[in-house]
Amino acid sequence: MYFHKLIELLFISGVIVEINSYRILGVFPMNSRSHNNMFDPLMKGLAKRGHKIDVISHFELKNPPDNYRTIINLHGTRHDLTNNISVEHASQIGHDPIIHISTTYGNEFCELMNLEEFQKIIKNPIHHYDLIITEAFSSNCYIGLGYVLKAPVITVSTLLDFPWVSDAMGNPSSTAFATNVFMDKAFVTTFFDRLKSTFIHHHTKYRFNKLTDKIQTEAMRKYLSPDMPNVREVERSVALMFTNYHHTLYGPKPFTSAVIPIGGIHAEQNDDQFTPELKQWMDKTTHGVIYFSLGSMILIESLPKDTLLAFYASFAKVAPIKVLIKVPNKDKLPLGLPKNVMTSPWIPQIPVLKHKNTKVFITHGGLMGTMEALYNGVPLIGLPFFSDQQPNMEIYVKKNMAILLDPKTINEKKITDALNSILTDPKYREAAKRESLLFRDRPMSILDTANFWVEYVIRNGPNCLRSPAVDLYWWQVELLDVYAFILISFIIVIYLFVFFIKKMVKILNNSLKNSQNSKKNK
């Protein structure tokens, strides 16, 4: 009897798993390791929830889950960005990022759809996909895969929402109080901040649309289907967007129901491990560790020699505290590295930030890395170079868990003062721990949140969360026609009122004159 019940239970469980298991295609053409650090935990997490995952990416997973496959490895099809950008080049990108985002990281990536393996999937897909997940960034041509494969599309934004992304989702711009990725400051407080924020929002959106409209539409019609709609229309077909946002970091902000914040999923779901040698080194450090990394792209060894020597001098002064630096090519560093410094071309960042001996993280201020520090309660010293790095660090400074340094004016004294402040003043560590608790305080895990909404879209269709604002012109969304009508109506009422008063005065004057003339005639 019990055996039959057990068989029945196993059968029911198997049916439930089968019903809830969907086939999902992930397409991530951007060859940035930091962007991919958000895609990997999301796709692996969905695989662990029982979904069948196929991925097209530049970064093939090592030891993937059983139901996770990399069906196209794009590595080598583009210039490698990992550990391949100098500080000088990073600063140049910051001068006009829209050009690079629209063309180099946008239009050019659409050409990857011409790869033979890609065309096989487009023309003769092996499976029917229940859902497609791709990035909300600059290669919006890939959203068109939903059109040809007849599947809803979810996008993932690894940074603050870009103006053209928010517009396509019908999401409020909130330029009156919320910063965007192209602002050089974190907070919108004055009239001129609001003016600048609004101008940047509309100007960058206009430039991006102008630079990508024709080229990405033609790419979709060439590589996907000749009857593809315009890319601007394709963008508006997105069913839902996950964004790397959390209100404790950027402050409260309105979102349409089709935008779901999952900020920090890469920190929550990370399963990187120490090498035995690095773990032993971290464990034996009794006075603490300073961790120094400029992310997956910018080369520390490309910093000016004077700056590197200033770091050397400061690191020597904090001994016996040890320093761990991510340096892809140690041979390019100047001579004189202090004895308390260890370098490595690759470092498992989250395990280092989790470690009890890590005292401070010196960073360029990228969103992914700073979120990892926030999640694990580690104070920061920021050296921002471009993009959102400056406003990111300003936020952490305001939270009292960071010190901001200017890479252009940095020197030994400023580095030493910053290190001494972080290491000796408990307010930074206490603030970091407090902010970490706030960041982690959620009704369910970040992965469970993402998994629920993925299944919700598959169950209910691509339009179940679609905002009506998507079908309106921008001036209708901003109610300019309504305000214009009210203003014109008010002007007309005032005009009619004045006109009526003038007429009444004129009639009264005429009446008085007639009365006076009548008396004179008598």
Side-chain angles (χ1 to χ4, degrees):
M1 178 178 172
Y2 290 110
F3 176 78
H4 287 301
K5 286 187 175 180
L6 178 62
I7 294 296
E8 185 179 0
L9 181 62
L10 290 173
F11 175 77
I12 293 172
S13 299
V15 170
I16 291 172
V17 169
E18 184 63 29
I19 289 173
N20 290 331
S21 178
Y22 298 108
R23 188 171 292 278
I24 300 170
L25 174 65
V27 184
F28 308 110
M30 178 64 180
N31 58 335
S32 166
R33 172 67 70 178
S34 60
H35 287 228
N36 195 72
N37 285 344
M38 187 170 180
F39 308 141
D40 272 358
L42 173 62
M43 302 310 288
K44 282 196 298 183
L46 293 174
K48 290 175 182 177
R49 292 295 187 272
H51 303 300
K52 299 177 180 67
I53 306 297
D54 291 347
V55 172
I56 299 172
S57 169
H58 294 267
F59 305 95
E60 187 166 1
L61 265 188
K62 296 177 182 177
N63 305 315
D66 291 339
N67 48 336
Y68 180 112
R69 296 186 309 151
T70 299
I71 57 174
I72 301 179
N73 186 349
L74 297 174
H75 182 70
T77 59
R78 299 287 303 175
H79 176 69
D80 195 0
L81 295 178
T82 305
N83 297 326
N84 210 12
I85 292 183
S86 67
V87 169
E88 182 181 359
H89 182 57
S91 300
Q92 290 173 355
I93 293 174
H95 291 155
D96 189 4
I98 281 292
I99 290 290
H100 295 277
I101 290 172
S102 303
T103 56
T104 308
Y105 306 131
N107 299 340
E108 293 180 16
F109 278 92
C110 294
E111 295 300 313
L112 294 175
M113 290 191 291
N114 192 35
L115 293 173
E116 183 179 350
E117 304 97 312
F118 223 122
Q119 285 297 304
K120 286 180 181 178
I121 293 171
I122 293 167
K123 294 176 180 176
N124 297 296
I126 301 173
H127 310 287
H128 167 72
Y129 290 103
D130 299 294
L131 180 74
I132 296 167
I133 300 179
T134 190
E135 185 172 10
F137 183 41
S138 51
S139 299
N140 296 336
C141 50
Y142 287 91
I143 299 172
L145 287 168
Y147 184 88
V148 294
L149 297 179
K150 295 179 172 52
V153 176
I154 288 178
T155 57
V156 184
S157 177
T158 61
L159 299 173
L160 272 178
D161 307 332
F162 292 91
W164 53 89
V165 171
S166 289
D167 183 65
M169 297 298 299
N171 204 53
S173 60
S174 307
T175 59
F177 59 88
T179 188
N180 68 63
V181 73
F182 298 107
M183 283 282 282
D184 57 0
K185 59 186 300 186
F187 305 102
V188 178
T189 55
T190 69
F191 166 78
F192 289 104
D193 289 340
R194 297 196 302 274
L195 179 64
K196 184 176 182 179
S197 174
T198 303
F199 174 78
I200 289 175
H201 176 87
H202 291 290
H203 182 63
T204 53
K205 181 175 68 175
Y206 168 78
R207 288 189 66 202
F208 176 83
N209 288 344
K210 185 176 181 181
L211 289 166
T212 60
D213 194 314
K214 182 179 178 182
I215 294 175
Q216 295 202 20
T217 299
E218 289 177 351
M220 288 191 301
R221 290 172 180 170
K222 182 178 180 181
Y223 302 130
L224 295 179
S225 173
D227 62 347
M228 285 293 300
N230 183 279
V231 68
R232 301 285 85 89
E233 183 178 341
V234 168
E235 290 169 350
R236 295 196 292 272
S237 68
V238 171
L240 180 140
M241 179 175 74
F242 290 126
T243 181
N244 197 18
Y245 168 93
H246 193 259
H247 64 274
T248 61
L249 183 57
Y250 288 110
K253 179 181 176 181
F255 287 114
T256 178
S257 55
V259 178
I260 306 298
I262 58 168
I265 189 172
H266 66 295
E268 178 193 77
Q269 295 297 315
N270 181 268
D271 54 8
D272 290 345
Q273 300 292 325
F274 280 115
T275 61
E277 297 79 13
L278 181 56
K279 182 155 191 329
Q280 186 180 31
W281 186 86
M282 293 287 298
D283 290 344
K284 285 187 175 181
T285 303
T286 56
H287 292 85
V289 173
I290 297 166
Y291 174 50
F292 185 13
S293 171
L294 296 182
S296 62
M297 296 191 293
I298 300 177
L299 299 165
I300 282 180
E301 56 268 39
S302 70
L303 285 167
K305 183 177 180 181
D306 290 346
T307 301
L308 288 170
L309 292 177
F311 274 109
Y312 284 11
S314 296
F315 291 155
K317 288 179 181 178
V318 299
I321 293 174
K322 293 186 178 181
V323 182
L324 178 63
I325 311 179
K326 176 183 168 291
V327 181
N329 194 339
K330 184 180 177 181
D331 294 337
K332 292 185 178 180
L333 289 174
L335 298 175
L337 199 66
K339 293 181 180 179
N340 63 327
V341 174
M342 175 175 143
T343 68
S344 176
W346 177 83
I347 293 172
Q349 182 158 288
I350 293 180
V352 169
L353 294 173
K354 280 183 180 179
H355 199 281
K356 61 183 176 63
N357 288 334
T358 301
K359 302 298 183 185
V360 59
F361 178 24
I362 304 176
T363 173
H364 62 309
L367 182 57
M368 306 300 286
T370 57
M371 269 191 175
E372 291 162 8
L374 173 63
Y375 192 84
N376 292 290
V378 179
L380 302 162
I381 294 176
L383 296 170
F385 293 96
F386 70 102
S387 187
D388 62 334
Q389 296 163 12
Q390 175 75 23
N392 286 344
M393 288 312 308
E394 287 181 7
I395 290 171
Y396 292 107
V397 169
K398 188 174 182 181
K399 292 179 179 294
N400 288 325
M401 61 173 286
I403 293 174
L404 178 60
L405 299 177
D406 185 348
K408 296 176 184 176
T409 62
I410 197 170
N411 56 41
E412 180 187 338
K413 183 179 185 307
K414 291 179 179 179
I415 298 169
T416 302
D417 289 346
L419 285 172
N420 286 335
S421 295
I422 294 283
L423 294 170
T424 61
D425 191 339
K427 77 173 185 180
Y428 294 102
R429 173 67 61 172
E430 290 169 2
K433 293 299 182 185
R434 182 179 64 253
E435 294 297 332
S436 175
L437 289 173
L438 290 171
F439 188 66
R440 289 169 176 246
D441 191 2
R442 312 189 190 203
M444 65 176 80
S445 76
I446 309 171
L447 178 58
D448 285 342
T449 300
N451 185 71
F452 171 82
W453 288 107
V454 161
E455 294 181 356
Y456 185 91
V457 166
I458 295 173
R459 287 195 305 267
N460 298 295
N463 295 321
C464 58
L465 299 168
R466 195 170 186 268
S467 170
V470 170
D471 298 318
L472 300 176
Y473 293 105
W474 69 268
W475 45 268
Q476 292 174 315
V477 174
E478 300 295 338
L479 294 175
L480 294 186
D481 53 343
V482 174
Y483 294 137
F485 175 80
I486 293 171
L487 179 62
I488 292 170
S489 299
F490 181 74
I491 291 171
I492 290 172
V493 168
I494 295 297
Y495 174 80
L496 291 174
F497 179 75
V498 171
F499 178 79
F500 176 76
I501 294 296
K502 285 182 176 180
K503 281 288 186 183
M504 290 298 294
V505 169
K506 187 176 180 180
I507 291 171
L508 288 172
N509 285 336
N510 290 337
S511 177
L512 287 172
K513 286 180 182 179
N514 291 335
S515 177
Q516 290 172 356
N517 291 334
S518 173
K519 288 179 179 179
K520 287 179 182 180
N521 292 332
K522 290 180 179 179

